Amino acid sequence: MSSIAASARIHPLAFVEDGAVIGENTVVGPFCRIGPRVVLGSDVEVVSNAVITGLTEVGNGCKIHPMAVIGGVSQSLHEAGEDSKLVIGENCVIREGVTMNTGTVGGGGITSVGDRCLFLANSHVAHDCRLGNDIILSNSVMLAGHVHVADRAILSGGCAVHQFTRIGRQAFIGGLTAVHYDVIPYGMLNGNPGVLGGLNVVGMTRAGIERSVIHQVRRAYKQIFDGDGSIREKAAAVRDEFLDCPEALEIIDFIGAESDRAISSPFRGKA
């Protein structure tokens, strides 16, 4: 049996299946379908013609626009109908035609999205993706399975991200970029294949990072990426030099972490 808060407003042309949980002041518009294992928090608005299905939780204050399909089963070839989840944080905006899939048992069983994220029209979040807070996916961005995106990253229109790739905090991905490899925190990636083009200095400044810190991060970036040799070895070699700069250490530790993908660089993809 459904649990629908007294203050919720369900349009008579919406279809809410038995078992769904609808929070306080939540609005479900006409021609929406809410599945039997869906939980909508408080102050959610599902505008119209949207489908929310699967084992899906939508946080307080989210707004879901027409033609979005949220919580569909994964598109993995190994999908066998096992129980898995999609969890969306608070105050996210999900625009027209967005698709988000639940996880797979092999990938941990959960796809997760943080708070205050913006998903523009026709963007896609595949199975087992893990997204942080304050992320923007512009129109038609495609995340393959198992992609991790850290806080405040911006992915511009039409870019495509290879499975198992990591995108670091406050990275900026240019429009139509093909993201084959991990992108460092604060990195800027453009092209097909994507080439690292320096640091997202504008984003760092907007985030309140002081100019002196940006200069330190730039110095670390140059020491890691300039010249020949292994990126990972050079990052490890300069770590002690930047112990007083958390932002530089974040890049160094990101490079040193285990990953299924190589690190995007200024040279990768060039002849």
Side-chain angles (χ1 to χ4, degrees):
M1 186 173 179
S2 298
S3 173
I4 301 176
S7 58
R9 290 177 286 156
I10 312 296
H11 194 281
L13 295 178
F15 180 34
V16 178
E17 298 188 59
D18 278 349
V21 177
I22 312 293
E24 296 287 348
N25 301 309
T26 285
V27 177
V28 179
F31 309 110
C32 293
R33 179 168 184 166
I34 310 299
R37 299 193 296 170
V38 170
V39 176
L40 302 182
S42 301
D43 302 299
V44 172
E45 182 180 1
V46 189
V47 177
S48 70
N49 295 280
V51 175
I52 308 177
T53 185
L55 187 55
T56 297
E57 299 176 10
V58 178
N60 300 338
C62 289
K63 185 169 185 177
I64 300 174
H65 287 255
M67 311 311 295
V69 180
I70 306 302
V73 297
S74 80
Q75 298 176 83
S76 169
L77 295 176
H78 305 292
E79 172 64 44
E82 308 100 326
D83 264 354
S84 57
K85 295 182 70 174
L86 168 65
V87 178
I88 300 172
E90 298 187 352
N91 299 308
C92 292
V93 175
I94 299 171
R95 294 302 303 256
E96 295 82 0
V98 170
T99 51
M100 296 185 183
N101 296 158
T102 54
T104 63
V105 171
I110 186 168
T111 302
S112 63
V113 173
D115 299 334
R116 301 175 301 279
C117 294
L118 172 60
F119 301 88
L120 297 186
N122 301 309
S123 53
H124 173 67
V125 178
H127 60 89
D128 305 299
C129 286
R130 303 292 178 97
L131 277 62
N133 302 321
D134 303 295
I135 290 165
I136 298 174
L137 266 59
S138 296
N139 298 61
S140 301
V141 168
M142 297 170 284
L143 302 185
H146 310 276
V147 167
H148 288 197
V149 184
D151 296 351
R152 298 179 64 88
I154 297 176
L155 286 73
S156 302
C159 73
V161 184
H162 192 284
Q163 63 183 359
F164 294 100
T165 298
R166 298 176 299 148
I167 296 178
R169 185 164 70 95
Q170 220 165 301
F172 182 90
I173 312 298
L176 303 178
T177 295
V179 187
H180 293 279
Y181 306 111
D182 292 348
V183 182
I184 60 169
Y186 313 106
M188 293 188 68
L189 196 79
N190 285 284
N192 183 4
V195 174
L196 194 64
L199 297 172
N200 181 16
V201 174
V202 172
M204 297 171 78
T205 302
R206 288 175 177 170
I209 298 175
E210 295 181 2
R211 184 167 295 276
S212 60
V213 173
I214 294 173
H215 286 320
Q216 275 192 287
V217 177
R218 272 179 164 161
R219 186 161 57 86
Y221 177 92
K222 286 180 67 64
Q223 291 181 229
I224 293 167
F225 289 102
D226 282 1
D228 298 326
S230 163
I231 291 170
R232 285 193 165 91
E233 288 176 2
K234 288 190 288 185
V238 301
R239 192 178 194 282
D240 288 349
E241 187 178 339
F242 293 97
L243 293 177
D244 62 342
C245 182
E247 291 81 2
L249 279 182
E250 186 176 359
I251 293 173
I252 291 166
D253 290 341
F254 180 94
I255 291 170
E258 288 188 16
S259 177
D260 293 288
R261 308 298 296 162
I263 299 292
S264 295
S265 80
F267 315 105
R268 197 176 301 281
K270 292 186 177 180

